Structure formats: structure tokens, C-alpha cells
Amino acid sequence: MHNELTQQDLALMRQELDYRRTVLRPQLLEAVKTARGFGDLSENFEYKAAKREKNRNDSRCRYLENMIRTAVLISDRSEAGTVGLYDHVTLYLVDEDEHLQCQIVTTMRQDARKGLISKESPVGKAVLGRRKGDRVTVQVNEQYSYELIIQDIIPGRDDGQIPLARF
């Protein structure tokens, strides 16, 4: 499996991984050690909570390491007048008679509640590389699809302000 990521995605992931390894991990190990000293481990909530946080950190480190290791570097540039990564797009949903504003981002930065739509989502796949005025079909699954019209494209860039997605 390869993860299509930009240079900025990789930089943010390496930064987070470095922080988790060098700063957070020693703190969490110390918290486990301290909580272990509180006595009976079977009834020691502090110990269980400290272990859970340490394990979460270790899991996130493994996830980031895997994402970095399997990454395929992509460009965040697009042809002029077409939808590309980090562009702000206004869409008209034909069936709903509604407008939707979103920004197309990599999977590592997606957050649909904030209008950050992954380039690998059905909407992202449908609009990436298309032009203003294009009518596109969003294929959600084999049974369901809908149409939208690209009404506006405002070129964007990755300024590093969009955080990495959490799990």
C-alpha cells in the first residue's frame, strides 16, 4: 500500500513522530513508572490510564512510521484553471439544490466537518483535475451516485496550517 502525500505532509508527520519519540514517550514512561509505585496493579486506575496513554502514543508512532515508509511523494500543484490539492472549491449539488464549499486535501489532512475533503474521497476523485463549470458525477458506490457542478475554484496552497488527521 502506498500513501500519496505531499512534502509538507511528510514534514508534519516527521515532526510529530520526533516529538512523540523524544518528548512524549519519556514522559509517558515516567508516568507509568510513577503509577506502578502506587501499589496493587489490579486496582490501580492511575497505572492503567498511564499504560493506555503510553500504548496510544506507541500506536500513533507505528502508524506515522508506516505512513512515512510507504509514502509516494506527490505535487500539490495543478494545471491552471483546474481543481488541485489545497484549492478551495464551490460546488453546486444538483439534486439537493445546495452549495457546498470545500478544500481538497490529502488523506492525512481530511476533516469533512471543517470542509477539508480528501482527494481520495468520492467527491475529491470526481472534481480533481476538472474545470469551473464542469458537471461531474460522484460515484459513492455501485448503487448510488449524484451530480454536482463546479461553480468556482480558488487556488490554494499548503501553508502548513491544516493539521494532520488524528485517529
Side-chain angles (χ1 to χ4, degrees):
M1 177 182 179
H2 295 287
N3 303 295
E4 293 182 341
L5 303 171
T6 65
Q7 191 65 43
Q8 186 71 14
D9 288 332
L10 288 171
L12 287 172
M13 291 168 68
R14 287 183 179 120
Q15 181 181 12
E16 180 182 341
L17 185 58
D18 184 55
Y19 169 78
R20 287 180 173 278
R21 285 178 177 163
T22 61
V23 177
L24 196 54
R25 191 170 202 305
Q27 292 173 355
L28 294 171
L29 287 172
E30 186 61 34
V32 170
K33 182 179 173 184
T34 301
R36 176 173 231 144
F38 293 157
D40 182 11
L41 297 183
S42 65
E43 296 181 15
N44 187 337
F45 175 77
E46 289 83 3
Y47 176 75
K48 290 177 184 176
K51 283 286 284 186
R52 183 175 51 242
E53 286 305 309
K54 180 200 154 301
N55 290 339
R56 278 190 188 149
N57 184 61
D58 291 347
S59 177
R60 180 70 175 178
C61 286
R62 285 189 304 274
Y63 173 76
L64 291 170
E65 289 166 351
N66 184 53
M67 292 295 287
I68 292 168
R69 184 177 61 254
T70 61
V72 172
L73 193 61
I74 61 170
S75 173
D76 59 356
R77 307 280 184 251
S78 63
E79 187 179 315
T82 64
V83 177
L85 277 178
Y86 302 103
D87 289 349
H88 296 268
V89 184
T90 302
L91 305 169
Y92 175 69
L93 288 83
V94 177
D95 295 341
E96 303 293 323
D97 191 29
E98 289 182 13
H99 291 87
L100 169 70
Q101 293 185 344
C102 61
Q103 185 175 14
I104 307 300
V105 296
T106 59
T107 302
M108 284 303 297
R109 305 291 223 4
Q110 71 183 354
D111 187 344
R113 292 174 295 173
K114 294 180 180 177
L116 302 171
I117 306 298
S118 168
K119 69 180 208 62
E120 296 177 22
S121 70
V123 171
K125 287 177 183 177
V127 302
L128 209 57
R130 303 304 284 269
R131 297 186 174 280
K132 181 177 178 179
D134 284 356
R135 186 181 192 110
V136 297
T137 300
V138 177
Q139 191 70 41
V140 177
N141 58 37
E142 290 180 15
Q143 292 84 29
Y144 182 70
S145 65
Y146 59 94
E147 291 191 351
L148 52 83
I149 298 171
I150 300 171
Q151 290 197 313
D152 195 21
I153 304 169
I154 300 171
R157 64 181 182 85
D158 186 5
D159 58 7
Q161 298 299 309
I162 302 171
L164 294 175
R166 301 284 179 216
F167 61 83

